[in-house]
Amino acid sequence: MIKKIFNQQLSFDGRHNNNNNNFPDWEEKKIKELFSFKITNSFSREQLNHKNGKVKNIHYGDIHTRFQTLFDIEKEEVPYINPDVNINKINEENYCAIGDMIFADASEDLIDVGKSIEIVNLNNQKLLAGLHTILARPISNTFSIGFCGYLFKSDRIRTQIQKESQGSKVLSISAVRLSNISFSIPCIEEQIKITNFLSSIDSKIDIETRFLQKLEQQKKFLLQNLFV
């Protein structure tokens, strides 16, 4: 569905059935026109913990392995920065905000280089983007919340990120190279419809995944007890 939507093979108005109530045509833009880049930190795993702290921290490895496309801090296990780590010099504007995109700038796999998440809920908690991440913030109200999370998974953007990546054993993408990537975006009203549609599929996947996990647990229990 993401492929069809962002290739404009599937629309959420009447442009394919002669309906006069069409949304405007999609606009062609570059990342540098619509996003500004903020400073991230380089705290290692050893400087993070899952027990206590005042500020949480996004590690690029969790973008690769655990975090959902639409990042909701209430639904994710995010480590704290250790209390003894000095974060006093970090400017307030470099803390994550709702609508921010966070990219993992390094990967051993071409498929995952530049993998990203969008911040959709912080629940008034403080969050920083950390080691091997790029933090991009929309400059204006161009996007509806949640839309960019799916936009940056489109084939066109992913292909460009892979072409712009550098390295041999470890691949990386810089903010400079990322800023030149181009894409097309619809109006806010169409963005909202796209986001609602794709997030409903994500919710369905999440429900089915949890159901499958319960079945697996039940199967394991039965196997352990049936043949005793």
Side-chain angles (χ1 to χ4, degrees), residues 68-206:
Q68 297 295 312
T69 300
L70 305 186
F71 177 91
D72 182 340
I73 203 165
E74 293 186 273
K75 297 179 180 178
E76 304 283 4
E77 292 185 13
V78 190
Y80 292 99
I81 297 171
N82 290 344
D84 61 346
V85 176
N86 188 352
I87 58 173
N88 294 331
K89 292 184 179 180
I90 297 176
N91 195 295
E92 194 66 30
E93 73 170 12
N94 295 317
Y95 281 83
C96 297
I98 292 174
D100 284 357
M101 291 295 302
I102 303 179
F103 301 84
D105 73 5
S107 173
E108 295 179 358
D109 190 336
L110 183 63
I111 294 175
D112 282 339
V113 64
K115 190 174 181 180
S116 61
I117 58 174
E118 179 180 351
I119 308 296
V120 298
N121 180 33
L122 288 172
N123 192 33
N124 295 317
Q125 297 184 57
K126 284 198 165 186
L127 179 70
L128 289 169
L131 183 67
H132 286 304
T133 66
I134 298 171
L135 177 60
R137 180 166 299 157
I139 295 171
S140 60
N141 298 321
T142 307
F143 304 104
S144 65
I145 299 301
F147 176 76
C148 286
Y150 296 113
L151 172 66
F152 282 92
K153 289 193 178 299
S154 65
D155 284 351
R156 180 181 176 186
I157 290 181
R158 292 298 308 147
T159 298
Q160 289 180 80
I161 287 176
Q162 290 165 4
K163 286 182 178 178
E164 290 290 338
S165 64
Q166 297 175 299
S168 53
K169 292 184 178 180
V170 177
L171 296 161
S172 64
I173 181 80
S174 68
V176 173
R177 287 180 171 270
L178 191 65
S179 67
N180 287 316
I181 287 171
S182 59
F183 51 86
S184 296
I185 56 169
C187 66
I188 291 288
E189 291 79 10
E190 190 168 4
Q191 289 180 34
I192 291 171
K193 288 195 172 186
I194 290 170
T195 303
N196 289 342
F197 175 71
L198 292 174
S199 62
S200 69
I201 295 177
D202 272 346
S203 295
K204 178 68 173 175
I205 291 171
D206 184 54

Side-chain angles (χ1 to χ4, degrees), residues 45-66:
R45 286 284 193 194
E46 287 70 31
Q47 293 172 292
L48 308 176
N49 76 91
H50 283 276
K51 293 182 179 180
N52 61 81
K54 294 182 178 180
V55 177
K56 292 187 173 182
N57 195 72
I58 297 284
H59 189 281
Y60 80 104
D62 293 330
I63 296 177
H64 283 309
T65 60
R66 294 198 299 139

Side-chain angles (χ1 to χ4, degrees), residues 202-218:
D202 272 346
S203 295
K204 178 68 173 175
I205 291 171
D206 184 54
I207 291 169
E208 295 295 339
T209 299
R210 282 186 276 128
F211 180 66
L212 179 60
Q213 289 171 345
K214 288 183 179 179
L215 288 176
E216 291 287 354
Q217 290 171 359
Q218 185 179 32

